[in-house]
């Protein structure tokens, strides 16, 4: 089945998926605020195609669901914890963001991990990535994490092991302070 938000929602935790063959969740132009963790399990699919789609997660964001290529094209995922794209389904596109879709790490210490063997344009990757507020962000992906669009680092944040498919490539720790 599928579901879409009809209004802004606040939850302690949020899980997309379950016992049905495929549970599709569309943010629907609204804001979902999660005080704990957000999970897309093996039977789930996240859809963010509206510019006003927002998921604000205080905890961790984990995805292990269906192919999202063409389904994550817009909106913002704001993460206070870690980001993990797991491999239970062996789906290389469980988080294949494109277009204006943006993930922002909003301070503190974070790690992100793409655990599929194929990352980059042909697999799971960020469309746009923002690391802000003094965040220390480190990729545990092998090979490096791919950012198809903009990589923005502000506020004395530190980023390690990111590859930008645009004009710049980062292979060693990068520290950027200020604007």
């Amino acid at each position: 089945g599928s579901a879409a938000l009809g209004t802004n929602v606040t939850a302690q935790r949020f899980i997309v998926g379950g016992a049905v063959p495929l549970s599709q969740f569309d943010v629907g132009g609204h804001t979902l605020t999660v005080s704990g963790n957000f999970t897309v399990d093996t039977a789930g699919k996240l859809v963010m195609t509206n510019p006003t789609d927002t998921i604000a997660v205080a905890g961790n964001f984990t995805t292990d669901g269906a192919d999202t290529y063409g389904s994550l094209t817009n909106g913002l995922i704001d993460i206070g914890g870690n980001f993990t794209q797991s491999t239970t389904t062996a789906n290389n596109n469980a988080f294949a963001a494109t277009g204006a879709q943006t993930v922002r790490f909003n301070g503190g210490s974070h790690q992100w991990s793409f655990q599929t063997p194929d990352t980059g344009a042909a697999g799971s990757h960020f469309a746009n990535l923002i690391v802000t507020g003094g965040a220390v962000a480190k990729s545990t992906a092998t090979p490096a994490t791919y950012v198809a669009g903009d990589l923005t680092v502000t506020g004395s944040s530190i980023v390690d092991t990111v590859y930008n498919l645009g004009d710049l490539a980062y292979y060693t720790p990068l520290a950027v302070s200020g604007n």
Side-chain angles (χ1 to χ4, degrees), residues 9-177:
V9 172
T10 300
Q12 290 182 346
R13 66 179 178 192
F14 201 88
I15 300 171
V16 178
V20 297
L22 176 65
S23 294
Q24 180 169 299
F25 172 67
D26 190 335
V27 181
H30 298 285
T31 298
L32 171 63
T33 304
V34 182
S35 61
N37 297 329
F38 181 95
T39 303
V40 180
D41 76 11
T42 57
K45 180 176 184 176
L46 177 61
V47 176
M48 296 181 77
T49 56
N50 190 307
T52 58
D53 287 349
T54 303
I55 299 175
V57 183
N60 298 323
F61 182 99
T62 303
T63 183
D64 188 20
D67 187 332
T68 59
Y69 192 82
S71 299
L72 296 175
T73 60
N74 239 314
L76 171 68
I77 300 173
D78 193 44
I79 302 173
N82 296 322
F83 173 98
T84 303
Q85 184 265 308
S86 298
T87 60
T88 304
T89 61
N91 184 346
N92 288 343
N93 290 323
F95 195 88
T98 59
Q101 204 290 324
T102 301
V103 171
R104 177 174 58 203
F105 291 102
N106 61 28
S109 181
H110 307 284
Q111 287 190 345
W112 61 79
S113 176
F114 288 102
Q115 298 176 2
T116 56
D118 185 18
T119 61
S124 289
H125 60 274
F126 296 117
N128 301 287
L129 178 62
I130 299 171
V131 181
T132 187
V136 176
K138 178 175 177 55
S139 171
T140 59
T142 302
T145 301
Y146 289 88
V147 179
D150 295 331
L151 169 63
T152 306
V153 182
T154 64
S156 69
S157 299
I158 299 171
V159 177
D160 184 9
T161 319
V162 173
Y163 177 66
N164 183 296
L165 294 177
D167 297 327
L168 302 173
Y170 305 102
Y171 293 105
T172 58
L174 167 72
V176 178
S177 61

